[in-house]
Amino acid sequence: MSQGPTARLLLSAPDRPGLVAAIANFIYDNAGDVTQADQHTDEEEGMFFQRVEFRLEGFKLSREEIPAALGEVAAPLQMAWRVRYSDEDRRVAVLASRQPHCLVDLLGRWHCGELPGRLVMVASNHPDHAELVQRFGLPYHYLPVTPESRSRQEQALLGLLAEAKVELVVLARYMQILSDRFIERYPSAIINIHHSFLPAFSGGHPYHQAHARGVKLIGATAHYATAELDEGPIIEQDTARVSHRDGVADLARTGRDLETVVLARAVRLHLTDRVLVHGRKTIVFA
Amino acid sequence: MSQGPTARLLLSAPDRPGLVAAIANFIYDNAGDVTQADQHTDEEEGMFFQRVEFRLEGFKLSREEIPAALGEVAAPLQMAWRVRYSDEDRRVAVLASRQPHCLVDLLGRWHCGELPGRLVMVASNHPDHAELVQRFGLPYHYLPVTPESRSRQEQALLGLLAEAKVELVVLARYMQILSDRFIERYPSAIINIHHSFLPAFSGGHPYHQAHARGVKLIGATAHYATAELDEGPIIEQDTARVSHRDGVADLARTGRDLETVVLARAVRLHLTDRVLVHGRKTIVFA
Amino acid sequence: MSQGPTARLLLSAPDRPGLVAAIANFIYDNAGDVTQADQHTDEEEGMFFQRVEFRLEGFKLSREEIPAALGEVAAPLQMAWRVRYSDEDRRVAVLASRQPHCLVDLLGRWHCGELPGRLVMVASNHPDHAELVQRFGLPYHYLPVTPESRSRQEQALLGLLAEAKVELVVLARYMQILSDRFIERYPSAIINIHHSFLPAFSGGHPYHQAHARGVKLIGATAHYATAELDEGPIIEQDTARVSHRDGVADLARTGRDLETVVLARAVRLHLTDRVLVHGRKTIVFA
Amino acid sequence: MSQGPTARLLLSAPDRPGLVAAIANFIYDNAGDVTQADQHTDEEEGMFFQRVEFRLEGFKLSREEIPAALGEVAAPLQMAWRVRYSDEDRRVAVLASRQPHCLVDLLGRWHCGELPGRLVMVASNHPDHAELVQRFGLPYHYLPVTPESRSRQEQALLGLLAEAKVELVVLARYMQILSDRFIERYPSAIINIHHSFLPAFSGGHPYHQAHARGVKLIGATAHYATAELDEGPIIEQDTARVSHRDGVADLARTGRDLETVVLARAVRLHLTDRVLVHGRKTIVFA
């Protein structure tokens, strides 16, 4: 069906007449073959958002020519835009701590060819997963942290990420708080999984909190990391039913399946260029 | 936010370049203010589908002028189209048999102003709901059926529907099979609720079938009625968890909440012009 | 299947060996025919909870004799217990404010015979629903509230509830805060529906809060009212998927279906004696 | 919390008074400490089912003495029973074909210590997963099949399973039909995952069938394999929402997450002795 690489155009602009027509004409005039298009008008904010995916085969402009041509269309309409290609090499790092399930799930998906990106490294403040990760042929960087070494460890981590040309950092139950400097280095490019239905049970030990409150559902939330802990734009969430029978360990076990699936969905949405961030919210063109 | 009436344009056409641009330009050239737009390309079928909603206020064409102008755009592109207005009077009839829950739910939603249409009549082959329906100020037509009177009863029903200028017939657990003639009279305009996750458990007594099979979820399916029983295009479905503890009566009780919600969602989707039928499937621009 | 009335025995006790045997022998010795039994041991709290339902037909003890006989079994084991009968007249009041959907849903369920209790009155601080409620043959008490009249209004309401011998008060989107005095009058017998997945978005305007936070699911929570607002023991919760397309009004519309179903489930669980409260949590023997 | 091994007693019997008391007294008389108990009466079938889990520490009977003592209680009441211990070594084999996702998921869970059993071998009619499985330190048996070699291949497989003392066989998208002889060798001990919400879309290519029918949800079903294909007792099912946008490949992708989770849940339920089979249905004491 979807043979050949596609271009994915993501746009946002102050809402005004003619935005859709401008882009539609740009693509039509260049003989573009649209495979998927989606748009959203936020009437409160007066903002327009669009995602258009079109085949590169037969398109009159080359990848090199697209930016300038698009810029000409976009500038008078005050459009912010970016374009990515389905065959780009998207380099992904996973950071983990003790708990293996999200890391193992991502390794498994990568092995099955389900990850629309390339895992290039795993780093952890624990040595536990070295052997497993190496079995999958990936470098494992063990970077222990103490209160004193925190800043140095982060610096080392940033160095490794830069060297590996990572563009997406996945926090697969990474239990270290990242500094503002780190987060600013990867804007809307660090995805964290929080093991609750945010904003409920933000902070530490959400399953303990959930158990103490006696909720009848537990949740998981994948969001972009921002300077404010657990407050970043939400990409994906889901919930699962629990009962009075479930102790904290049962909540955690049920929750692990939620966490892996919600995180994997968010990573896929990000890597297929389906997520736009506006303020503290996301537009997800699923 | 959404002040003033809107036009809802639904399109389908053999896929080809320029469809989106043609419609975008039509709306832009007439100073249209799009509030929502959605599209879908079915690559297997080579078909393009689109729904565009735009404000009438400020639009350069009047309701009377729109069809001809649209026709000019659509004809060369082989587009099938229809346009409806958000302030139209959509006249709805409900048919019920013994079981009251879907009827009661629709009456309640109508009372609460949640139904994007106008209930104008209820008909039934049982007398049971006369008082209730009349409490809501609606006419109730009791039309008993026997094997001998089936054809006459249907004829009477068709007469009442025509007289009431009904455009949507909702089968709210109406347990009579409609003749082909009846169904042809309301193409893609009769919505039935089947109390199973179709195609599982089509035909009679789906909760008994589900109980006998020992399924762990039950379902409900809202679909357009067609000449083939339980085979019409599916508009909406949902499921709910059950267990070995649930007897047939429990499945039916749990199922009633599914049925009412699934039917109500389908009716809303239809009445807000979000459903396109193509072959035996639907495109639902939710 | 379940012909004839049943007794429903609810027990809680500090956990110790022999609790199950004591009750099992009590029922067996009196020729009881158990139709459903469920139990739960909370190991953290060291507490045991049980619900046993058995037929009255053939049971050797009369309803009058059961309490004393049970007391003899329970006392040495420090069991707290209560027994209710499936054919008791459970008198229920609904309190509502402006929004009709939960009230209308409960009226509809009652009409369909789905409510395992008897609606005996509706009260509201708005006059809006008088006609509807009266159509269903129920008294409607319009009790307006001003900051000055709050205490008098509550006093009047308590008087009406007492007079109607109400044992369960359902807050069907009743937007007035009840005084501690009121709540103490009906311990674990006032069920409120909150239109969020508590503890997220407690307090006012949860759909506005949810919209501002950009969550991907919304929720509803039915809980017993306690002196601390939105902090009472949770009986039932559910969630529904939403997206960036949903404005506050859309969240509210989707949420209404959640609210009605979650509230109705909680009311049914309560009226069939399936809920035990322990501290700020519930054990729900569904 | 749950320190020390437990015994898990599973019972079924024709319903009659005194069953619960008999077991409760047996456990109490032997100083048993019950950690979980659940029961079910199927009134249609006149059958009683129970699962009781109790600590071995402090229990007056040794593992060797329990069967005879239980037999004495059970025989006069016509109880069928079995007892298993939480610390038993449950040996599990996984059979796979081309598709890796269920296999990879089970390997991952095993690695994380989430599988309440011990993976001892993987067999496949394809060579593809040899390296992966060996990375996890497990033997991989590549047993190709041709129409002519089918019987010999099965014989070899049975030999390997017997040699490895396997007690549970998991068909992780194993696309070969097993002979009746094979199935009879492992009664209620072969778990298959079917990639549809059975009984909808039984047989081959369920995602193609689902796509052709235009369903709005897809499902997955874990069931015990029996001589009738796709007709065995269902252990667990779940569904996920899809739309007109989803082609067959999208359904398959969404479905893979359903399949892995549903299969893993069923395997866990089986290995923790929570599933009783009665006729073509299961009682699942989750």
Side-chain angles (χ1 to χ4, degrees):
Chain A
M1 210 61 49
S2 60
Q3 336 86 316
T6 56
R8 297 163 184 162
L9 181 52
L10 288 161
L11 297 157
S12 59
D15 194 25
R16 51 185 285 179
L19 295 171
V20 174
I23 296 301
N25 289 328
F26 168 76
I27 293 173
Y28 180 54
D29 293 345
N30 290 296
D33 182 5
V34 172
T35 59
Q36 208 180 3
D38 210 341
Q39 66 186 72
H40 172 59
T41 306
D42 185 327
E43 300 201 17
E44 288 162 47
E45 306 261 332
M47 286 295 293
F48 172 80
F49 305 93
Q50 193 176 25
R51 180 186 188 276
V52 186
E53 186 157 4
F54 56 93
R55 290 193 216 289
L56 285 166
E57 199 187 320
F59 199 64
K60 283 187 188 163
L61 303 175
S62 69
R63 295 187 196 205
E64 290 67 37
E65 294 165 322
I66 287 174
L70 250 178
E72 267 177 58
V73 176
L77 298 165
Q78 295 173 269
M79 282 180 179
W81 60 273
R82 66 176 198 267
V83 67
R84 301 295 304 254
Y85 302 99
S86 61
D87 58 359
E88 281 181 63
D89 195 28
R90 311 288 286 257
R91 300 171 70 85
V92 179
V94 178
L95 307 193
S97 289
R98 267 262 152 71
Q99 297 230 33
H101 55 284
C102 285
L103 168 61
V104 169
D105 181 73
L106 289 166
L107 290 169
R109 287 172 193 273
W110 182 56
H111 172 84
C112 296
E114 306 248 334
L115 204 75
R118 190 206 291 201
L119 281 194
V120 293
M121 62 170 275
V122 175
S124 176
N125 57 326
H126 289 279
D128 314 39
H129 317 301
E131 198 191 320
L132 176 76
V133 169
Q134 283 155 8
R135 278 188 223 152
F136 280 89
L138 285 174
Y140 186 83
H141 303 289
Y142 167 42
L143 299 169
V145 191
T146 61
E148 298 75 41
S149 71
R150 180 173 311 281
S151 175
R152 273 202 318 280
Q153 190 250 17
E154 249 200 10
Q155 195 57 45
L157 186 50
L158 281 170
L160 290 164
L161 295 171
E163 202 182 329
K165 295 190 177 60
V166 163
E167 70 162 85
L168 174 66
V169 178
V170 181
L171 307 181
R173 298 295 307 273
Y174 186 62
M175 306 307 278
Q176 298 297 314
I177 292 171
L178 300 174
S179 71
D180 290 5
R181 187 190 51 159
F182 192 110
I183 284 165
E184 280 157 22
R185 184 73 188 67
Y186 291 95
S188 299
I190 304 171
I191 299 179
N192 184 45
I193 182 74
H194 186 79
H195 41 310
S196 83
F197 179 70
L198 287 174
F201 310 131
S202 60
H205 300 293
Y207 293 130
H208 287 82
Q209 292 184 58
H211 184 66
R213 183 62 186 90
V215 290
K216 301 302 182 186
L217 297 169
I218 56 168
T221 304
H223 63 92
Y224 287 118
T226 60
E228 291 162 279
L229 194 66
D230 300 333
E231 292 287 329
I234 294 170
I235 306 168
E236 173 66 348
Q237 300 186 290
D238 216 337
T239 55
R241 192 156 280 272
V242 296
S243 82
H244 59 268
R245 292 182 198 281
D246 294 296
V248 171
D250 302 303
L251 299 186
R253 182 167 48 73
T254 299
R256 284 193 288 270
D257 276 353
L258 273 182
E259 294 165 35
T260 55
V261 168
V262 167
L263 179 58
R265 280 189 212 142
V267 167
R268 159 169 288 273
L269 291 166
H270 179 94
L271 289 174
T272 52
D273 305 300
R274 296 179 178 281
V275 189
L276 273 161
V277 173
H278 183 69
R280 66 186 304 218
K281 294 164 71 169
T282 60
I283 293 95
V284 178
F285 290 126
Chain B
M1 210 61 50
S2 58
Q3 337 84 319
T6 56
R8 297 162 184 163
L9 181 52
L10 288 161
L11 297 158
S12 58
D15 193 25
R16 52 185 284 181
L19 296 171
V20 174
I23 296 300
N25 290 328
F26 168 76
I27 293 173
Y28 180 54
D29 292 345
N30 290 296
D33 183 4
V34 172
T35 58
Q36 208 179 4
D38 211 340
Q39 66 186 72
H40 173 60
T41 305
D42 184 327
E43 301 201 17
E44 287 162 47
E45 306 261 330
M47 286 294 294
F48 173 81
F49 304 93
Q50 192 176 26
R51 181 185 187 275
V52 186
E53 187 157 4
F54 56 93
R55 291 193 216 289
L56 285 167
E57 199 187 321
F59 197 65
K60 283 187 188 163
L61 304 174
S62 69
R63 296 186 196 206
E64 290 68 37
E65 295 165 320
I66 287 174
L70 250 178
E72 267 177 58
V73 176
L77 298 166
Q78 295 173 269
M79 282 181 179
W81 60 273
R82 66 178 199 264
V83 67
R84 301 296 304 254
Y85 302 100
S86 61
D87 58 359
E88 281 181 62
D89 195 27
R90 311 288 286 257
R91 300 171 70 86
V92 179
V94 178
L95 308 193
S97 290
R98 266 261 151 70
Q99 296 229 35
H101 55 282
C102 285
L103 168 61
V104 169
D105 181 73
L106 290 166
L107 290 168
R109 286 172 195 272
W110 183 57
H111 172 84
C112 295
E114 306 248 335
L115 204 73
R118 191 207 289 202
L119 280 193
V120 292
M121 61 171 274
V122 175
S124 176
N125 57 326
H126 289 279
D128 314 39
H129 317 302
E131 195 190 321
L132 174 77
V133 169
Q134 283 153 11
R135 276 185 219 158
F136 282 91
L138 285 174
Y140 185 82
H141 303 290
Y142 166 42
L143 299 169
V145 190
T146 61
E148 298 74 41
S149 71
R150 181 173 312 281
S151 174
R152 275 202 317 281
Q153 191 249 19
E154 249 200 11
Q155 195 56 45
L157 187 49
L158 280 170
L160 290 164
L161 295 171
E163 202 182 329
K165 295 189 178 61
V166 164
E167 71 161 86
L168 174 67
V169 178
V170 181
L171 307 182
R173 296 295 307 274
Y174 186 61
M175 306 308 277
Q176 298 298 314
I177 292 172
L178 300 174
S179 71
D180 290 5
R181 187 189 52 160
F182 192 110
I183 285 166
E184 280 157 24
R185 184 75 189 67
Y186 291 94
S188 299
I190 305 172
I191 299 178
N192 183 46
I193 181 74
H194 185 80
H195 41 311
S196 84
F197 178 71
L198 285 175
F201 311 131
S202 60
H205 300 294
Y207 293 130
H208 287 81
Q209 292 184 56
H211 185 64
R213 183 62 186 89
V215 290
K216 301 302 183 188
L217 298 169
I218 56 168
T221 304
H223 63 92
Y224 287 117
T226 60
E228 291 162 279
L229 194 67
D230 299 335
E231 292 287 327
I234 294 170
I235 305 167
E236 173 66 347
Q237 300 186 289
D238 216 339
T239 55
R241 193 155 279 272
V242 295
S243 82
H244 60 267
R245 292 181 198 283
D246 294 296
V248 171
D250 302 302
L251 299 187
R253 181 167 49 72
T254 300
R256 284 193 288 271
D257 276 354
L258 273 182
E259 294 164 36
T260 54
V261 168
V262 168
L263 179 59
R265 279 190 211 140
V267 167
R268 159 169 288 273
L269 290 167
H270 178 94
L271 289 174
T272 52
D273 304 301
R274 296 179 178 281
V275 189
L276 272 161
V277 174
H278 183 68
R280 66 186 302 219
K281 295 163 72 169
T282 60
I283 293 96
V284 179
F285 290 126
Chain C
M1 212 58 51
S2 60
Q3 336 85 316
T6 54
R8 297 163 184 163
L9 180 54
L10 288 160
L11 298 157
S12 59
D15 193 25
R16 52 184 285 179
L19 295 170
V20 175
I23 296 301
N25 290 328
F26 168 77
I27 293 173
Y28 180 54
D29 293 345
N30 290 296
D33 182 5
V34 172
T35 59
Q36 208 180 3
D38 210 341
Q39 65 186 72
H40 172 59
T41 306
D42 185 326
E43 301 202 16
E44 289 162 47
E45 306 262 331
M47 286 294 294
F48 172 81
F49 304 93
Q50 194 176 25
R51 180 186 188 275
V52 186
E53 186 157 3
F54 56 93
R55 291 193 217 288
L56 285 168
E57 199 188 320
F59 198 64
K60 283 190 188 160
L61 304 174
S62 70
R63 296 187 196 206
E64 290 67 37
E65 294 165 321
I66 286 173
L70 250 177
E72 268 176 59
V73 176
L77 298 165
Q78 294 174 269
M79 282 181 179
W81 60 273
R82 66 177 199 267
V83 67
R84 301 296 304 255
Y85 302 100
S86 61
D87 58 358
E88 282 181 64
D89 195 28
R90 313 287 287 257
R91 299 172 71 85
V92 179
V94 177
L95 307 193
S97 289
R98 267 261 152 71
Q99 297 229 34
H101 54 283
C102 285
L103 169 61
V104 169
D105 180 74
L106 289 166
L107 290 169
R109 287 172 193 272
W110 182 57
H111 172 85
C112 296
E114 307 248 336
L115 205 73
R118 191 206 289 201
L119 281 193
V120 292
M121 61 170 275
V122 175
S124 176
N125 57 325
H126 289 280
D128 313 39
H129 317 301
E131 198 190 320
L132 175 76
V133 169
Q134 283 154 9
R135 277 188 223 152
F136 280 87
L138 286 174
Y140 185 83
H141 303 289
Y142 167 41
L143 299 169
V145 191
T146 62
E148 298 74 41
S149 71
R150 180 172 311 280
S151 174
R152 274 202 317 281
Q153 190 251 16
E154 249 200 11
Q155 195 57 45
L157 187 49
L158 280 170
L160 290 164
L161 294 171
E163 202 182 330
K165 296 189 177 60
V166 163
E167 70 162 86
L168 175 67
V169 178
V170 181
L171 306 181
R173 298 293 308 274
Y174 185 62
M175 306 308 277
Q176 297 298 314
I177 292 171
L178 300 174
S179 72
D180 291 5
R181 188 190 50 160
F182 192 109
I183 284 165
E184 281 157 22
R185 184 73 188 67
Y186 291 94
S188 299
I190 304 171
I191 298 178
N192 183 45
I193 182 75
H194 186 79
H195 42 311
S196 84
F197 178 71
L198 285 175
F201 310 133
S202 60
H205 300 294
Y207 293 129
H208 287 81
Q209 292 184 57
H211 185 65
R213 183 62 186 89
V215 289
K216 301 302 181 188
L217 298 168
I218 55 168
T221 304
H223 63 92
Y224 288 117
T226 59
E228 291 162 280
L229 194 67
D230 300 334
E231 292 287 327
I234 294 170
I235 305 168
E236 172 65 348
Q237 300 187 289
D238 216 338
T239 55
R241 191 156 281 271
V242 296
S243 82
H244 60 267
R245 292 181 199 282
D246 294 295
V248 171
D250 302 303
L251 298 187
R253 181 167 49 74
T254 299
R256 284 192 289 270
D257 277 353
L258 272 182
E259 295 165 34
T260 54
V261 168
V262 168
L263 179 58
R265 280 190 211 141
V267 167
R268 157 169 288 275
L269 290 167
H270 179 94
L271 290 174
T272 51
D273 304 301
R274 297 180 177 282
V275 189
L276 273 161
V277 173
H278 183 68
R280 66 186 303 218
K281 295 164 71 169
T282 60
I283 293 96
V284 179
F285 290 126
Chain D
M1 210 57 52
S2 59
Q3 336 85 318
T6 55
R8 297 163 183 161
L9 180 53
L10 288 161
L11 297 158
S12 58
D15 194 23
R16 52 185 284 180
L19 296 170
V20 175
I23 296 300
N25 290 328
F26 168 76
I27 294 173
Y28 180 53
D29 292 346
N30 290 295
D33 183 5
V34 172
T35 58
Q36 208 180 2
D38 211 340
Q39 65 186 73
H40 172 59
T41 306
D42 185 326
E43 301 202 16
E44 288 162 48
E45 306 261 331
M47 286 294 293
F48 173 81
F49 305 93
Q50 192 175 27
R51 181 186 186 276
V52 186
E53 187 158 3
F54 56 93
R55 289 193 218 288
L56 285 168
E57 200 187 321
F59 198 64
K60 282 188 189 161
L61 303 175
S62 69
R63 296 188 197 204
E64 289 69 35
E65 295 165 321
I66 286 174
L70 250 177
E72 268 176 57
V73 176
L77 297 165
Q78 296 174 268
M79 282 180 180
W81 60 273
R82 65 177 200 267
V83 67
R84 301 296 304 254
Y85 301 99
S86 62
D87 58 358
E88 281 181 63
D89 194 28
R90 312 289 286 256
R91 299 171 72 86
V92 179
V94 178
L95 308 193
S97 290
R98 265 263 153 69
Q99 295 229 34
H101 55 283
C102 285
L103 169 61
V104 169
D105 181 73
L106 289 166
L107 290 169
R109 287 173 194 272
W110 182 57
H111 172 84
C112 295
E114 306 250 334
L115 204 73
R118 190 207 289 201
L119 280 193
V120 291
M121 60 171 274
V122 175
S124 175
N125 56 326
H126 288 280
D128 313 40
H129 316 303
E131 196 191 320
L132 175 76
V133 169
Q134 283 153 11
R135 274 185 221 157
F136 282 90
L138 284 174
Y140 185 82
H141 303 290
Y142 167 42
L143 298 169
V145 191
T146 62
E148 297 75 41
S149 70
R150 181 174 310 281
S151 176
R152 274 201 318 281
Q153 191 250 18
E154 249 200 10
Q155 195 57 45
L157 187 49
L158 281 170
L160 290 164
L161 295 171
E163 202 182 330
K165 296 189 177 61
V166 164
E167 70 162 87
L168 174 67
V169 178
V170 180
L171 307 181
R173 297 294 308 274
Y174 185 61
M175 306 308 276
Q176 297 298 315
I177 292 172
L178 299 174
S179 71
D180 290 5
R181 185 188 53 158
F182 192 110
I183 285 165
E184 280 157 25
R185 183 73 189 67
Y186 290 94
S188 298
I190 304 172
I191 299 179
N192 184 45
I193 181 76
H194 185 79
H195 41 310
S196 84
F197 178 69
L198 286 176
F201 310 132
S202 60
H205 299 294
Y207 293 131
H208 287 82
Q209 293 184 55
H211 185 64
R213 183 63 187 90
V215 289
K216 300 303 182 187
L217 298 169
I218 56 168
T221 304
H223 63 93
Y224 287 118
T226 59
E228 292 162 279
L229 194 67
D230 298 336
E231 291 288 327
I234 294 170
I235 306 168
E236 173 65 348
Q237 299 187 289
D238 216 338
T239 55
R241 191 157 280 272
V242 296
S243 83
H244 60 267
R245 290 181 199 282
D246 293 296
V248 171
D250 302 303
L251 299 187
R253 183 167 48 73
T254 300
R256 283 192 289 269
D257 276 354
L258 273 182
E259 294 164 34
T260 54
V261 168
V262 167
L263 178 59
R265 280 190 210 140
V267 168
R268 158 169 289 275
L269 290 166
H270 177 95
L271 289 174
T272 52
D273 304 301
R274 296 179 178 280
V275 189
L276 272 162
V277 173
H278 184 68
R280 68 187 301 219
K281 295 163 72 168
T282 60
I283 293 96
V284 178
F285 290 126

